[in-house]
Amino acid sequence: MMNIKWSDVVITGDPLILGAQISIILTMVAAVVGITYFKKWKYLWDEWITTVDHKRIGIMYILVAVLMFFRGGIDGLMMKAQTAVPDMKFLDAQHYNEVFTTHGVIMILFMAMPALIGLMNVVVPLQIGARDVAFPQLNAVSFWLTFSGAMLFNLSFVIGGSPDAGWTSYFPLAGKEFTPGVGNNFYAISLQIAGIGTLMTGVNFIVTILKMRTKGMTLLKMPMFTWTILITNVIIVFAFPILTVALALMTFDRLFGTHFFTISGGGNAMLWNNLFWLWGHPEVYIVILPAFGMYSEIIATFSKKRLYGYNSMIISIVGIAILSFVVWVHHFYTMGSGPVVNSVFSITTMLIAVPTGVKIFNWLFTMRKGRIQFTTAMMWSLAFIPTFTIGGVTGVMLAMAAADYQYHNTLFLVAHFHYVLIPGVVYAVFAGFYYWWPKMFGYALNERLGKWHFWLFNIGFNVTFMPMFFLGLKGAVRRSYTFSAESGFAPLFLLSAIGSLILAAGFAVLVYNIYYSTRYADRNISTDPWDARTLEWHTANPVQFYNFAQLPEVKTLDTFWHMKKNKEGLVLKEDELEEIHMPSNSWLPIYMCAVFFVVGFFMVFESFIAAAICSIGIFVGLLIRSFDYDEGFHVKLDVIKKKERAWRGEK
Amino acid sequence: MAKNHENEKFPVSHIAGFIVSLLLTFATVGAVKYTDLPVVTIMWIIGALAVIQAILQLFMFMHLTEGEGKVQLINIIYAFFCAIVVAAGTIWVMTSGHVHY
Amino acid sequence: MAKVDTSLPLEYQTEQNRLNILGFWIFLGAEIVLFASLFATYGSLKDNFAGGPTPTDLFVLKDVMIETLLLLTSSFTCGVAIWYMRRHNLKGLITWLIITLLLGAGFVFFEVNEFIHYVHEGATMQTSAFLSSFFVLLGTHGLHVSVGIGWAISIIIQLARRGLTPTTARKTFIISLYWHFLDVVWIFIFTFVYLARMV
């Protein structure tokens, strides 16, 4: 029944992997023992595992992202250690391949996406004055499927072997013929499961933003972060199905012997590149647009000024959404699609830089004549502007197909995308953490530690990646496990490796900050600590579970700012309160997580009969949902009044 | 906004949509089997017939313009834009240059 | 709680219903791109026969026409079912839904027979890129139809148990959208996969 041998499943003889296997088992045992000892099972089940509350779901996403950041970061450090000096013997070629593959997959799909989706979950319903998203139970399913995919992917390190064909998994290397083990099966299946979750998020947030805005909030009075999330989710809905198909075809080739991307039988490996990047390019805009939205909020708040150029911001993000679907070939100019195709895509790629440029100018104009406050969140946003611009302009260099024949697959390319992804996405995630932490948890992250985090990470980032531009121009290629002393690359590689240590120190400070602040920070802070502009700040710290006792009425952009200035809408009219209708918790989402994990596991190990039998469980879950007529529950008036008086202060 | 259909004796629009769809289907078969036109011309004709039938069914069977009609319409238009980029774009990229075999 | 607007058809009457229907339309947008990707794959690989069977060897117009007429008629009968629903006629709704499902099951029956016939002729999805892409495109559509039949049966059971309420009306309307959509996809399969190769 199982086509894979046991000796391939359990990996022996590698100290790192053995260490990981032991620590995973120990951690799981410790977690179970700890939760039992503190009698927290019921609390965990009721408050987190079966929750459909967007704020809780958002926090769970963020937790996954932080944990995955750790693993992806270790992967990066290992790569830097291996390339610190010529002919280093720390990782052999096979292991190096596995490390850069998992680094890429984890950082993009299991760190950046969950972090951004987590923040959008926490913030967007609050910003639009709603009580939850349109489909709360589906929202929980999205999280648990992402978690299921992440766990399945991480499992590959200790059982079966990690994928090793790059995060882009190009054929024919990624096919059965050249990579027969289960590693790339893990890639195909776990990304598929997580992808379904993300697609569901796309549908959920579009309906939420279009249909659940509070009274008076027209589309043109929405906060900019909400706008970027709307457009991001539109891109998700139309891009992720392409990945679904690509991964399915990959699964068929690897597991069922079809000929989509194989060399024999008429397959075409370039078709994989084409489909992957048809998804992959919109994907990078999926991660950057929420970041742009966060910067818009933070820069406006800490300049104490309205965001400049609201309308042009909207036009530019809509333009980005459309253009993002017509640039994908720039990822494989050198694969042979010819001069006409390459020229067309060079032009579209250069075009897409324009709307982003508009946004940079808008942020600068927002700051002009503002009263700048150098909070940690603002400093991340300030550092983003010049650093991301370096990434952006090197992107325009790469956009020219003819020139790209020189840059392609060198470290110049690697430096480019890290210069857009890290200052673009990661700095925004950090800024978002520092900005919205009080709203999520009721206390703030320490600002002094935050500054240390900022400086170490920022300096470390530049020292790590700037040398890589020059290494690439000298001819150093990507995905190469070593280099020779004669190449002359050694000094810059060493500099880069030192930079990565500073980067790691920065991340360590963040983790320490989270621990330190959770333990010592003042819980008695204002519900509006930054004197902010948008509706999510007109709530308790942390936010009450029903979000708003009365749905706010919106008259202008920057609603909360104007409410404070004109002193309107701030006082609760208790006699106008009504009972609030809230959705019930559900165990179905975590059930789906488990079922998909089991089916996925059997598919990875090519036990098709077991997979088929267990997939009945998926249909059972869907049927249970279909026959579920639960209408939720009502929050009584006295509960609402008590909670509201607590955070607003007794009258 | 939505037709309640409460006053109709027969589902008129549905019957009409069904008959036109049948005609378009038979026209497609006819164009392929019973004409001597050049292949490219036939492809364009049957492609157009397919698009017409799809649009017809979207409006007549699926009530595209009901409910959030405007949003649904934009959604379908954007979906078709992406579909054309994906399908035509892939075929164009894959048949250009040296890669086609 | 639910903002009920009784001037609208039953399925649009509550706010939650309107959210669900809009959400499903957006999901259909995603499905359009999904099928487009499968068409793109087929379009790239359709001439790669690897020395194996070609469309001329395999495709039989009569069988394809039967499948097309079955599915198209089922889309029509599904529309009639909703017409009855809008006239608050539960019996008419269920009757025409069952007719729809029978026609749909007929479609699946003929399609499975078609595939079995091909396999007997030595044309499996492992034979060539053309056949891989053909079977996956058609198979995905057929799987969608089969899942739809199961889904519709569960809806019929709920209608029989609970009668016609805003909630059951909404569920019925959504699966009707799904069913019509599958016929729209079939139009393109019929045209570009089958007929285009019979010129």
Side-chain angles (χ1 to χ4, degrees):
Chain A
M1 193 158 103
M2 247 171 78
N3 301 336
I4 309 290
K5 301 194 289 292
W6 273 108
S7 56
D8 291 333
V9 173
V10 182
I11 303 169
T12 50
D14 189 303
L16 276 175
I17 294 181
L18 184 63
Q21 287 164 326
I22 294 175
S23 33
I24 288 177
I25 294 176
L26 280 179
T27 314
M28 280 164 61
V29 169
V32 170
V33 166
I35 298 172
T36 313
Y37 178 74
F38 288 109
K39 298 200 203 321
K40 287 284 189 190
W41 283 110
K42 187 162 186 342
Y43 164 77
L44 267 183
W45 181 260
D46 289 338
E47 302 292 325
W48 294 93
I49 294 176
T50 60
T51 188
V52 296
D53 180 341
H54 67 99
K55 305 181 287 298
R56 293 267 165 95
I57 291 172
I59 290 173
M60 290 196 284
Y61 268 115
I62 290 171
L63 189 62
V64 169
V66 172
L67 286 171
M68 290 287 100
F69 202 152
F70 182 69
R71 187 180 164 193
I74 300 274
D75 282 330
L77 285 175
M78 286 201 284
M79 284 158 64
K80 283 294 156 193
Q82 169 58 23
T83 54
V85 293
D87 299 313
M88 178 71 145
K89 298 272 182 277
F90 171 54
L91 294 170
D92 62 21
Q94 172 60 29
H95 283 129
Y96 191 80
N97 293 358
E98 292 175 14
V99 171
F100 69 65
T101 303
T102 49
H103 172 76
V105 173
I106 286 179
M107 286 305 206
I108 297 185
L109 293 164
F110 297 123
M111 187 282 288
M113 293 288 282
L116 296 165
I117 295 179
L119 285 166
M120 84 170 68
N121 258 287
V122 173
V123 174
V124 168
L126 294 171
Q127 276 199 341
I128 62 174
R131 294 209 163 103
D132 207 309
V133 294
F135 311 116
Q137 209 181 133
L138 190 67
N139 201 16
V141 171
S142 288
F143 168 72
W144 286 110
L145 285 180
T146 304
F147 183 74
S148 184
M151 287 302 105
L152 191 61
F153 187 79
N154 277 285
L155 193 64
S156 66
F157 185 62
V158 291
I159 300 183
S162 298
D164 60 359
W167 91 279
T168 51
S169 199
Y170 281 2
F171 280 77
L173 176 63
K176 214 46 159 63
E177 198 186 346
F178 293 100
T179 312
V182 297
N184 286 320
N185 292 356
F186 273 107
Y187 177 94
I189 310 273
S190 57
L191 268 59
Q192 186 76 283
I193 296 174
I196 295 172
T198 306
L199 182 62
M200 298 295 111
T201 296
V203 175
N204 215 337
F205 274 82
I206 293 177
V207 176
T208 303
I209 294 174
L210 288 181
K211 294 284 292 171
M212 292 177 73
R213 279 166 285 132
T214 190
K215 188 155 169 248
M217 189 180 276
T218 60
L219 282 175
L220 293 178
K221 293 199 180 81
M222 284 196 323
M224 187 47 62
F225 180 63
T226 301
W227 258 110
T228 58
I229 296 305
L230 174 63
I231 302 296
T232 301
N233 281 289
V234 169
I235 303 178
I236 286 178
V237 164
F238 293 109
F240 265 79
I242 305 171
L243 179 68
T244 308
V245 168
L247 291 173
L249 300 182
M250 175 181 187
T251 306
F252 269 80
D253 264 12
R254 288 188 59 86
L255 301 187
F256 302 123
T258 49
H259 291 289
F260 292 104
F261 313 122
T262 56
I263 300 179
S264 61
N268 194 328
M270 185 169 164
L271 182 60
W272 164 264
N273 290 45
N274 183 71
L275 289 174
F276 180 84
W277 286 115
L278 263 168
W279 164 78
H281 195 85
E283 164 67 8
V284 309
Y285 287 96
I286 290 169
V287 295
I288 200 69
L289 283 183
F292 286 168
M294 287 192 261
Y295 289 130
S296 293
E297 300 290 352
I298 292 169
I299 290 176
T301 300
F302 294 115
S303 307
K304 294 220 154 321
K305 262 186 80 197
R306 215 185 55 183
L307 181 69
Y308 185 91
Y310 183 86
N311 288 346
S312 63
M313 286 293 214
I314 293 176
I315 295 172
S316 66
I317 58 181
V318 173
I320 288 174
I322 298 172
L323 280 173
S324 69
F325 276 93
V326 292
V327 297
W328 78 95
V329 177
H330 70 230
H331 296 273
F332 52 101
Y333 282 137
T334 58
M335 227 175 158
S337 41
V340 177
V341 171
N342 280 359
S343 304
V344 168
F345 281 92
S346 291
I347 295 172
T348 55
T349 305
M350 285 188 265
L351 264 178
I352 204 171
V354 173
T356 304
V358 166
K359 298 176 81 66
I360 301 261
F361 281 109
N362 282 344
W363 288 314
L364 292 172
F365 279 122
T366 306
M367 289 192 272
R368 182 169 175 262
K369 297 204 179 156
R371 279 173 10 241
I372 313 283
Q373 292 166 299
F374 290 92
T375 57
T376 309
M378 185 57 164
M379 290 178 70
W380 286 112
S381 313
L382 290 171
F384 147 76
I385 292 178
T387 341
F388 176 84
T389 303
I390 295 175
V393 299
T394 49
V396 181
M397 287 169 70
L398 290 155
M400 288 176 255
D404 188 58
Y405 273 76
Q406 296 299 317
Y407 309 128
H408 182 60
N409 276 350
T410 63
L411 291 182
F412 186 88
L413 169 66
V414 177
H416 155 72
F417 65 68
H418 282 90
Y419 261 87
V420 285
L421 283 173
I422 297 182
V425 180
V426 177
Y427 285 17
V429 167
F430 290 155
F433 284 177
Y434 283 94
Y435 187 59
W436 278 302
W437 202 270
K439 212 23 88 176
M440 291 193 274
F441 298 108
Y443 62 92
L445 285 174
N446 183 288
E447 282 286 308
R448 198 179 46 91
L449 286 172
K451 303 279 164 58
W452 274 97
H453 167 208
F454 168 76
W455 284 110
L456 282 171
F457 199 91
N458 206 7
I459 292 172
F461 164 75
N462 282 290
V463 175
T464 308
F465 289 99
M466 183 57 75
M468 288 166 76
F469 282 121
F470 299 100
L471 278 169
L473 291 174
K474 275 164 165 293
V477 298
R478 73 186 294 199
R479 294 179 170 160
S480 174
Y481 79 109
T482 193
F483 58 95
S484 68
E486 294 79 34
S487 62
F489 298 154
L492 287 176
F493 263 117
L494 182 59
L495 181 60
S496 180
I498 293 171
S500 71
L501 292 173
I502 305 174
L503 199 54
F507 183 71
V509 174
L510 171 66
V511 173
Y512 179 66
N513 195 350
I514 294 175
Y515 157 76
Y516 179 88
S517 308
T518 307
R519 199 145 161 218
Y520 298 113
D522 185 10
R523 262 48 174 191
N524 235 340
I525 56 171
S526 160
T527 53
D528 177 23
W530 314 120
D531 192 20
R533 313 176 74 83
T534 44
L535 275 174
E536 75 270 26
W537 298 99
H538 187 42
T539 51
N541 261 6
V543 183
Q544 39 311 29
F545 69 92
Y546 49 80
N547 294 358
F548 298 100
Q550 264 174 325
L551 296 178
E553 206 180 308
V554 169
K555 300 207 171 96
T556 66
L557 200 49
D558 282 350
T559 309
F560 186 49
W561 185 255
H562 287 273
M563 280 163 74
K564 287 187 285 188
K565 257 180 69 185
N566 303 334
K567 297 205 190 333
E568 11 173 273
L570 291 171
V571 176
L572 183 66
K573 302 198 193 87
E574 283 196 357
D575 44 329
E576 288 180 12
L577 285 176
E578 286 174 357
E579 285 191 345
I580 296 175
H581 180 226
M582 295 295 286
S584 306
N585 279 12
S586 170
W587 54 268
L588 260 184
I590 186 142
Y591 163 82
M592 290 304 244
C593 167
V595 170
F596 269 92
F597 183 87
V598 169
V599 174
F601 183 84
F602 283 131
M603 291 286 284
V604 166
F605 286 96
E606 304 186 20
S607 309
F608 299 128
I609 299 178
I613 294 173
C614 292
S615 61
I616 295 174
I618 298 176
F619 291 104
V620 168
L622 292 173
L623 280 172
I624 292 176
R625 180 68 185 99
S626 184
F627 280 87
D628 178 7
Y629 278 75
D630 183 288
E631 292 271 314
F633 63 98
H634 284 90
V635 187
K636 298 272 177 266
L637 282 178
D638 52 340
V639 172
I640 303 172
K641 284 185 188 162
K642 199 160 145 233
K643 274 202 173 298
E644 291 300 304
R645 285 178 191 161
W647 76 271
R648 291 164 185 268
E650 291 279 8
K651 296 288 178 287
Chain B
M1 176 194 80
K3 291 197 188 144
N4 261 324
H5 297 289
E6 274 170 358
N7 300 319
E8 290 177 352
K9 292 277 182 211
F10 287 103
V12 179
S13 55
H14 283 111
I15 295 176
F18 181 47
I19 292 177
V20 177
S21 295
L22 280 170
L23 289 174
L24 289 169
T25 306
F26 286 121
T28 308
V29 177
V32 166
K33 283 287 185 194
Y34 300 111
T35 61
D36 275 325
L37 295 163
V39 176
V40 178
T41 315
I42 295 182
M43 295 298 291
W44 278 102
I45 292 175
I46 63 176
L49 289 173
V51 171
I52 293 171
Q53 201 187 140
I55 294 176
L56 178 91
Q57 291 196 13
L58 276 166
F59 282 96
M60 307 217 74
F61 285 176
M62 291 173 80
H63 315 280
L64 175 60
T65 46
E66 282 176 7
E68 293 297 317
K70 225 171 95 190
V71 174
Q72 284 157 198
L73 188 58
I74 296 175
N75 172 56
I76 292 295
I77 290 174
Y78 191 61
F80 271 107
F81 163 72
C82 292
I84 292 169
V85 167
V86 170
T90 299
I91 295 172
W92 180 46
V93 168
M94 298 300 293
T95 55
S96 307
H98 331 292
V99 77
H100 184 52
Y101 54 84
Chain C
M1 191 189 103
K3 283 181 257 169
V4 180
D5 182 351
T6 46
S7 68
L8 299 166
L10 207 53
E11 66 271 21
Y12 286 104
Q13 283 188 4
T14 66
E15 183 64 15
Q16 185 61 50
N17 281 5
R18 293 193 281 272
L19 294 180
N20 285 31
I21 293 174
L22 175 61
F24 197 73
W25 270 108
I26 295 173
F27 174 69
L28 286 182
E31 290 262 78
I32 288 175
V33 177
L34 186 106
F35 278 102
S37 308
L38 289 169
F39 275 104
T41 302
Y42 177 79
S44 312
L45 301 175
K46 64 178 170 58
D47 295 321
N48 296 9
F49 307 121
T54 67
T56 352
D57 298 333
L58 297 169
F59 294 164
V60 178
L61 183 59
K62 183 175 85 68
D63 297 338
V64 174
M65 287 307 289
I66 293 174
E67 287 166 16
T68 305
L69 290 171
L70 281 170
L71 200 61
L72 176 58
T73 311
S74 79
S75 191
F76 166 65
T77 58
C78 184
V80 174
I82 298 295
W83 183 79
Y84 273 104
M85 186 174 89
R86 296 250 169 114
R87 305 177 85 211
H88 301 277
N89 185 331
L90 183 62
K91 211 157 141 267
L93 166 61
I94 294 183
T95 308
W96 284 90
L97 271 182
I98 292 178
I99 295 175
T100 304
L101 292 189
L102 289 172
L103 289 167
F107 168 85
V108 175
F109 175 76
F110 271 91
E111 188 164 75
V112 169
N113 266 331
E114 182 195 344
F115 288 179
I116 292 177
H117 170 68
Y118 294 161
V119 170
H120 281 180
E121 298 278 312
T124 66
M125 65 177 175
Q126 287 90 352
T127 308
S128 67
F130 154 67
L131 285 167
S132 297
S133 56
F134 171 82
F135 276 110
V136 169
L137 171 57
L138 275 274
T140 303
H141 177 266
L143 188 62
H144 272 78
V145 174
S146 309
V147 168
I149 293 174
W151 180 6
I153 292 174
S154 85
I155 300 293
I156 291 174
I157 294 174
Q158 291 174 50
L159 281 167
R161 273 201 202 164
R162 294 168 185 268
L164 210 46
T165 68
T167 305
T168 54
R170 172 248 293 167
K171 288 173 183 259
T172 312
F173 185 72
I174 286 179
I175 204 217
S176 82
L177 284 181
Y178 179 78
W179 196 261
H180 290 305
F181 169 74
L182 289 176
D183 188 53
V184 173
V185 174
W186 182 260
I187 297 170
F188 291 98
I189 292 179
F190 165 77
T191 306
F192 290 113
V193 176
Y194 289 106
L195 278 197
R197 312 309 285 277
M198 295 183 187
V199 175

